[in-house]
Amino acid sequence: MAALRWLTPRRRSATARSVLAGEASAEAARKSAEAAETPEDSGSGSGTAEPEFPVHGDDRAAAFFDLDNTVMQGAAIFHFGRGLYKRKFFETRDLARFAWQQAWFRLAGFEDPEHMQDARDSALSIVKGHRVSELETIGEEIYDEYMAERIWPGTRALAQAHLDAGQKVWLVTAAPVEIAQVIARRLGLTGALGTVAESIGGVYTGKLVGEPLHGPAKAEAVRALAAAEALDLSRCAAYSDSHNDIPMLSLVGHPYAINPDSKLRKHARELEWRLRDYRTGRKAAKVGIPAAAGVGAVAGGTAAAIALHRRRR
């Protein structure tokens, strides 16, 4: 923590929370990946990458993909909310709020911190008292019902190119880590870093471990995972649609702006980052990027909390 001494108390506290959230998410992701069986066969991707990248056989390289609007159209937490409503976890007025937030997200094309915070608070209150295993099972069902058809084939092909090169591929998202892990598993990816919710005895408490995995916390999670996996970040790639993920994109040697919002597009062009857009031609034209062809409720909490407790001691 010596590097944090120059910060004011308020900024130091915020940075420490980001580090805490990142390390907790990385720990949960690694535990999940270690416990997983051989991933399901996801088939071979049909997309291509630049001839020189990814480098085949480079086991010190990996790829990190944002989820919402990068791998999947829309926000995972909103689709999750629809599935919980269908199973009578909450009432119609709550669904209306989820629907409005999702509509806003799709029209605006980027994350609004207040909307996302409200959605996370709602999800935490909804799952409080439920068992982790119950939400994991429901997450599998919700993926089939609402998420599978919203995966961008172009981004899926980029992820597959890394897998075909023998590299690990991780989702990095503010969505609940259990949902992120379901999506990663279904796509045949290595695992997922996500927001970690506290659970005691396999039951959700309605609290988070650290803070949502968003913005700087994502960068901290990637940094922690790279250290644990002995990765060279200069040889790794990261993919995102949002300017909020510039800290994560700036960590790696191969940053990509996927379906970028206007701020990320401007930043990417200034730094000559690679751009990809898998939205419709009309939407891509609106943001000034040629359209390309074609169109991972919370933590492995017990493992993360134990690891966190041990580290604090």
Side-chain angles (χ1 to χ4, degrees):
M1 297 294 288
L4 303 181
R5 290 175 183 167
W6 62 273
L7 297 173
T8 64
R10 179 173 296 177
R11 291 187 64 192
R12 185 184 302 126
S13 177
T15 303
R17 288 197 302 271
S18 292
V19 172
L20 177 62
E23 291 182 352
S25 183
E27 179 70 17
R30 293 191 69 240
K31 292 290 185 181
S32 175
E34 289 171 1
E37 299 294 335
T38 302
E40 298 175 10
D41 181 10
S42 59
S44 60
S46 57
T48 58
E50 285 79 0
E52 77 279 5
F53 186 79
V55 177
H56 285 256
D58 186 357
D59 60 4
R60 295 200 64 200
F64 303 95
F65 283 79
D66 169 57
L67 177 57
D68 296 345
N69 213 38
T70 301
V71 171
M72 181 178 68
Q73 182 181 4
I77 196 168
F78 299 137
H79 299 313
F80 185 57
R82 293 174 63 193
L84 292 182
Y85 171 76
K86 179 180 178 181
R87 290 158 178 82
K88 303 186 184 302
F89 273 66
F90 54 89
E91 300 177 358
T92 303
R93 66 175 179 271
D94 299 303
L95 179 65
R97 185 172 69 253
F98 271 99
W100 157 245
Q101 290 166 335
Q102 172 65 0
W104 191 96
F105 180 87
R106 293 182 66 178
L107 289 171
F110 62 90
E111 301 166 346
D112 178 271
E114 291 185 6
H115 286 180
M116 300 301 289
Q117 182 64 51
D118 184 46
R120 283 188 289 268
D121 290 344
S122 298
L124 284 169
S125 65
I126 289 166
V127 304
K128 181 179 179 180
H130 288 273
R131 299 198 65 81
V132 174
S133 58
E134 176 188 8
L135 270 294
E136 289 173 340
T137 299
I138 290 174
E140 297 278 356
E141 298 170 357
I142 291 175
Y143 177 84
D144 290 327
E145 293 168 2
Y146 299 113
M147 300 179 183
E149 65 183 8
R150 291 177 170 81
I151 301 298
W152 295 111
T155 312
R156 177 70 189 89
L158 291 174
Q160 188 63 46
H162 286 279
L163 294 170
D164 291 344
Q167 297 173 5
K168 293 182 177 180
V169 178
W170 303 83
L171 292 181
V172 188
T173 175
V177 71
E178 281 85 357
I179 302 304
Q181 288 169 351
V182 167
I183 297 169
R185 184 166 58 253
R186 292 300 191 91
L187 296 177
L189 309 183
T190 307
L193 298 154
T195 296
V196 177
E198 182 184 71
S199 64
I200 297 177
V203 177
Y204 292 117
T205 66
K207 300 178 182 179
L208 291 182
V209 176
E211 63 180 20
L213 200 71
H214 185 265
K218 281 189 178 182
E220 293 297 340
V222 168
R223 197 191 309 275
L225 185 62
E229 296 277 317
L231 299 173
D232 181 347
L233 286 171
S234 70
R235 289 145 69 173
C236 292
Y239 302 78
S240 178
D241 72 296
S242 174
H243 69 279
N244 294 313
D245 289 339
I246 288 175
M248 177 181 75
L249 294 169
S250 300
L251 278 181
V252 301
H254 301 276
Y256 281 75
I258 304 293
N259 305 329
D261 62 33
S262 59
K263 290 182 180 180
L264 177 58
R265 183 176 75 254
K266 181 176 183 294
H267 188 85
R269 284 176 168 169
E270 289 174 350
L271 297 184
E272 299 184 345
W273 290 355
R274 292 165 178 167
L275 300 168
R276 297 288 185 275
D277 202 298
Y278 301 116
R279 296 168 289 194
T280 65
R282 181 177 179 182
K283 179 66 175 179
K286 180 179 178 182
V287 298
I289 303 173
V295 223
V298 268
T302 302
I306 290 174
L308 197 61
H309 177 68
R310 287 175 178 169
R311 186 172 62 82
R312 283 176 169 173
R313 292 176 63 189

